[in-house]
Structures are given as structure tokens and as C-alpha cells.
Amino acid sequence: MRGHADRTNRTIMIVLGAIFAAIGGAIIAANTGLFASGFPQRTLLENPAVAWIGGHSTWFWPIAAAAATVLGALALFWLIKILRGPPKAHDISIDGSARTTVGATALRDALTNEIQSYRGVDAARVRVYGDPIQPRLGVKVNLTADARVAEVRNRIEQQALAHAREALDAPQMPVTLDLGVSKKSGPRVE
Amino acid sequence: MRTTQPTTTPRMESPLAEASRVLPEPDYLGDVVISERVVAKIASQAVYETPRAGAAAPRMFGSVMPGAGHMGIRASDLAARPKTSAQIDSSVVYVDMAISVRWPESLADVTERIRDTVEDRIKAWTGLTVARVRISVTDLVA
């Protein structure tokens, strides 16, 4: 289940890119003398910004350190958020309230056990996402090398996933089915 | 002195005074106290009698507790009584239960049936009003 934060990521990247492009464009423009302030004639060490910072170093550096810490914390938070994936559901509501709930782990275990019992399936992994009222399932199945993929896929969709939808009374529950083939072959005597 | 009068000693008066306070009317027969455990048992019996639901093994960190079924730890079993608790607030009952349901029965169907049975029975057998039956399905048994 990737792609949960794609839109936010894209927006942040576009904004940051636009800011940096604007800064670069401004520097190029200054070098070509567009602002007519004598910028291209200055030497490298004659830097008014650095001179200003040097003049106010007593309060400038502590504030810069604080700002950098905040920025670092935000970056770390973002990284964790990206790597951890979408939040897992805990309890799924059955009747739309907290009066009747089914544990997401119970649903996960039941579905995993059913899919893993099928012939041609090496391993299955089920995740339950979303909010308590509208859960979503992510199902990742590893097939054995000699499995008939179309057959197993049909069986998963028409039995296991249908059972899950039936149990939750949610015929429209979105499910992401991810099939892979492992190198292991099924139990067979040769 | 007044204290020498035997009829006015508080020792003689006290049993009468107490009796008149406890018995406001002559045909008062006493209180009926129903334990919370009794109400919880009635609720768990209703689940036990449903073939589609039963006891659920406790979970730890999202998976069934190791050793469930031994040493008094419940195992998930459709033919066993689930863990229930009841709270009585004057004449109103709040019931909480953690059950297992047979996979893949419709959970809404099963829990609604259980809730109706529990409410009817507690009402009929104890006279208490059921305010809420909270059912959490913590295991699905194939």
C-alpha cells in the first residue's frame, strides 16, 4: 500500500522547487545586472548578508539553531510518516457505532488463515486500514512457483474476499490484492 | 433525679426506635439485590446458546495470547461461554462482552441476534433495564 501520501509529497516538492527556482532565477538576474545595484561588480568577500550576520551574531545564531532544530524535527516526522505507511485500523464498527465492533486483528487472522489454506498459496499477508466505519483491506499473497495464478486469484476474490465483505456487510469494501510468485514450489513428490 | 427512672433509659428505647426507622410500613419485605456477576452470566449464557458465536481467546499485541486454552486462559471456542462484564447502576444495566463469531457469518446478523436475546433475558429474569450491550468481536473462528 504505497501512494498514501503522494499528493502531499508532490505539493510540498512543487512548492519547494518553485522557491529554489525563484532564488536561482533572482541570482542569475542580479548577475546580469537586472536590478542595477552593482551586484556583478562586487567581490566574493564583500558580502552584505554575511557582514550583517556577523554584526548581530549574539542573537542571530541561537535563533538560527532553534529554527534548524524545528526544521530537522519536521523532516524526521515527514520521513517516519512516509516509511510507516497509512495508519492501521484497530476496531471496525459493525453497526456504524462503537456498540458493536470487530477487532481488525481478528479479521486479519481469519482472512490470512483462509487464503493460506488454498492450494498454490505460499504465504499471505493482510492489513486492515482506514477508519472504523469504512475499512480498507490490503492483501498481499505469495503464490508457489507452480500455482495457476488466474485460478488462485479467482478463488481469493470469489471466496476469501467475498467472505470478508459478507462478514462485514460491506459489499463495496475496497480491497487491494497484490499477487506475487515465490521461487518455492508447492508440496509435491517427485 | 430523672436518671433513676428505668423507663426513660436510652437502652430500653433504642430497639424500638431503630425498628420503626427500618420498617416504614408493616408489609415491607426487604430488598432484592442482584449481583453484577449474575447479570453477566445471563448474558454469556445467551452467547453460549448461539451456535454461531462463543468464547474468544484474549489477545496480546494483536495476536492470540500464547497458551490460550491452558491454565485457565480462554481459547476461542464457539461452544464456550465468553468473557462478559456487567455494571448495574440502580436499575439500569450496562453489559460488555468479547465474543468470537464463526467465519464467515454476517457479524451484524449474529451480534444483533445476541443483543436482542441478552436484552430480553435480562429484562425478563431480573427486571432490570438494559441500557447498552457492547459487543466486541475479538476472534473469528473458521
Side-chain angles (χ1 to χ4, degrees):
Chain A
M1 284 295 266
R2 290 274 178 237
H4 57 281
D6 275 359
R7 182 170 301 185
T8 323
N9 269 348
R10 239 183 342 249
T11 314
I12 292 174
M13 290 301 181
I14 287 172
V15 168
L16 280 182
I19 289 171
F20 286 129
I23 292 172
I27 289 172
I28 291 170
N31 264 320
T32 53
L34 198 69
F35 301 132
S37 59
F39 187 82
Q41 279 76 48
R42 269 195 218 140
T43 59
L44 190 63
L45 291 175
E46 183 200 340
N47 192 334
V50 170
W52 186 83
I53 290 170
H56 300 85
S57 59
T58 44
W59 59 265
F60 181 85
W61 290 118
I63 288 177
T69 308
V70 169
L71 207 66
L74 282 176
L76 199 66
F77 182 69
W78 180 45
L79 194 67
I80 290 170
K81 200 94 176 148
I82 293 288
L83 291 179
R84 276 192 59 191
K88 281 189 214 161
H90 294 289
D91 279 337
I92 301 163
S93 174
I94 294 169
D95 57 357
S97 70
R99 242 177 14 144
T100 322
T101 54
V102 57
T105 50
L107 182 68
R108 180 198 70 193
D109 288 355
L111 201 54
T112 309
N113 287 340
E114 175 160 5
I115 294 174
Q116 264 173 356
S117 72
Y118 292 168
R119 184 179 152 77
V121 173
D122 179 36
R125 193 177 147 83
V126 177
R127 284 172 149 233
V128 185
Y129 300 105
D131 58 299
I133 295 170
Q134 285 177 318
R136 289 177 289 130
L137 292 182
V139 181
K140 204 168 183 175
V141 181
N142 245 349
L143 306 175
T144 53
D146 52 357
R148 295 173 184 211
V149 178
E151 232 171 65
V152 177
R153 180 188 151 216
N154 263 344
R155 197 164 169 211
I156 290 170
E157 280 180 349
Q158 272 154 31
Q159 290 181 26
L161 299 184
H163 285 161
R165 290 187 169 122
E166 198 179 307
L168 292 177
D169 275 334
Q172 303 301 320
M173 178 168 62
V175 180
T176 313
L177 178 59
D178 194 350
L179 289 176
V181 179
S182 71
K183 289 204 174 88
K184 261 188 253 168
S185 64
R188 187 167 57 184
V189 181
E190 286 174 7
Chain B
M1 285 173 75
R2 283 194 78 227
T3 45
T4 53
Q5 298 276 339
T7 48
T8 53
T9 51
R11 199 189 174 120
M12 287 294 285
E13 242 175 36
S14 64
L16 272 173
E18 214 163 85
S20 65
R21 188 158 49 78
V22 171
L23 294 176
E25 46 195 273
D27 53 356
Y28 178 74
L29 294 176
D31 290 319
V32 175
V33 179
I34 297 170
S35 160
E36 291 180 339
R37 287 180 58 195
V38 170
V39 177
K41 274 265 165 69
I42 293 173
S44 70
Q45 179 70 18
V47 179
Y48 172 63
E49 286 169 16
T50 314
R52 300 188 291 174
R59 281 178 181 263
M60 217 165 62
F61 306 121
S63 48
V64 170
M65 197 135 100
H70 304 282
M71 298 186 297
I73 302 173
R74 265 191 191 76
S76 290
D77 187 357
L78 293 176
R81 284 172 185 78
K83 186 178 178 190
T84 50
S85 72
Q87 199 189 355
I88 300 176
D89 186 350
S90 58
S91 69
V92 176
V93 191
Y94 300 84
V95 180
D96 262 86
M97 51 173 76
I99 64 168
S100 69
V101 172
R102 190 197 288 157
W103 173 260
E105 295 277 354
S106 161
L107 293 167
D109 233 40
V110 175
T111 52
E112 211 41 57
R113 186 75 58 84
I114 288 170
R115 176 170 288 121
D116 287 349
T117 316
V118 168
E119 281 174 359
D120 290 352
R121 284 213 183 146
I122 291 175
K123 181 82 190 153
W125 293 1
T126 66
L128 299 165
T129 311
V130 182
R132 191 202 60 195
V133 180
R134 204 187 109 65
I135 303 176
S136 48
V137 180
T138 56
D139 206 4
L140 297 161
V141 182

